[in-house]
Amino acid sequence: MINVTIWNEFVHEKIHDAVKAVYPNGIHTALAQGIQQDGFAIETATLEEPEHGLTEEVLNRTDVLIWWGHMAHDKVSDDIVARVKQRVLDGMGLVVLHSGHFSKIFKALMGTSCDLKWREAEEQEIIWNVNPSHPIAEGIGEKIILDHEEMYGEYFDIPTPDEIVFISNFEGGEVFRSGCTFRRGRGKIFYFRPGHETHPTYFHPGVLKVIANGVKWAAPAPGEALRFGHSPQPVREFAKGSVV
């Protein structure tokens, strides 16, 4: 069983009618319903909950955290960001969606500005599967077509990804590294671009399939915790240049 926590600001849906019309119960609810399947135990958390819903208890039982944020990045407590970052370093998976690229947690883990070009427009996005043997691309085919999405364009100021799984192109001619993986400590991170709040992107079966695949890929692998710091001299017997 993979324990998944979906975090969403849940701000747009309360104050913007255009967003409320698409996601009346919040983006987190649409995601929870959309990726639900055998083997996933899903809970949600939002900005206005105590400790943003990301208490130590919640994070300690979370295998993979999904993050969507946009207009309230600055409202997220630095203490909670540090808590989430440590959990990722300790092995918790992190799936960052769309405008979560500018979240405090993603920037803290990337160490760069994570800035990009953007254009809020009604234009087609083609998400090309450029790494079809990758587990995140399983069952996707050669591309996903979204008729209406916001444009993100290069340069995307992130470290060189460990792997690029998807690349998008848009009607204006821009391209974007829209599916990237990273490893930090024992944790695995997947960034996936689509998901503008005024479009029903999180009802698209291909997009939901990718996110679910990302959760499975990012789930922690079994193993001992990483050990750092002073290491005492091991007790060994030496025999003329060789270790016995």
Side-chain angles (χ1 to χ4, degrees):
M1 183 68 66
I2 300 175
N3 295 309
V4 183
T5 300
I6 300 173
W7 191 88
N8 172 33
E9 288 177 351
F10 198 27
V11 176
H12 279 291
E13 302 94 314
K14 295 179 179 179
I15 64 175
H16 296 148
D17 290 341
V19 182
K20 188 184 300 183
V22 180
Y23 299 107
N25 299 310
I27 287 172
H28 54 295
T29 302
L31 286 168
Q33 294 172 346
I35 68 169
Q36 181 62 66
Q37 58 186 266
D38 290 343
F40 284 7
I42 299 175
E43 59 183 306
T44 62
T46 59
L47 180 70
E48 293 183 353
E49 296 176 44
E51 301 182 62
H52 310 323
L54 300 175
T55 63
E56 289 188 2
E57 181 182 1
V58 168
L59 287 175
N60 285 340
R61 67 172 178 257
T62 298
D63 296 314
V64 179
L65 176 64
I66 298 175
W67 192 283
W68 194 99
H70 184 206
M71 65 181 299
H73 296 315
D74 62 326
K75 301 295 192 299
V76 178
S77 162
D78 291 340
D79 290 341
I80 301 302
V81 172
R83 181 184 297 170
V84 173
K85 179 180 177 181
Q86 188 59 54
R87 279 289 291 126
V88 172
L89 297 178
D90 289 342
M92 183 183 73
L94 179 65
V95 177
V96 177
L97 301 175
H98 191 59
S99 45
H101 74 89
F102 226 39
S103 63
K104 287 183 178 181
I105 183 58
F106 191 62
K107 291 197 285 186
L109 287 163
M110 296 298 104
T112 58
S113 76
C114 299
D115 214 341
L116 46 79
K117 295 186 180 74
W118 61 274
R119 179 173 59 251
E120 189 171 339
E122 298 277 338
E123 58 185 279
Q124 185 187 79
E125 176 182 5
I126 302 177
I127 305 169
W128 293 97
N129 179 357
V130 297
N131 198 345
S133 66
H134 197 284
I136 294 176
E138 181 181 354
I140 298 304
E142 71 173 8
K143 61 182 179 293
I144 297 170
I145 299 177
L146 302 176
D147 291 332
H148 304 290
E149 252 296 347
E150 180 181 27
M151 187 282 292
Y152 280 9
E154 297 287 349
Y155 177 61
F156 186 17
D157 185 21
I158 53 174
T160 300
D162 293 332
E163 303 154 306
I164 298 175
V165 186
F166 301 104
I167 292 176
S168 291
N169 71 279
F170 298 85
E171 290 182 41
E174 295 88 358
V175 297
F176 191 77
R177 291 168 288 170
S178 54
C180 302
T181 71
F182 308 87
R183 288 168 175 80
R184 295 292 184 271
R186 290 198 67 205
K188 291 182 283 186
I189 303 164
F190 175 50
Y191 172 76
F192 191 42
R193 195 218 75 84
H196 186 60
E197 64 274 4
T198 60
H199 302 309
T201 301
Y202 293 133
F203 297 103
H204 190 288
V207 170
L208 294 170
K209 174 71 170 172
V210 169
I211 295 170
N213 286 350
V215 167
K216 294 174 186 176
W217 172 83
E224 294 183 4
L226 297 177
R227 292 182 294 172
F228 299 100
H230 177 258
S231 182
Q233 179 69 32
V235 177
R236 295 180 180 177
E237 295 181 3
F238 289 88
K240 290 188 178 181
S242 64
V243 178
V244 179

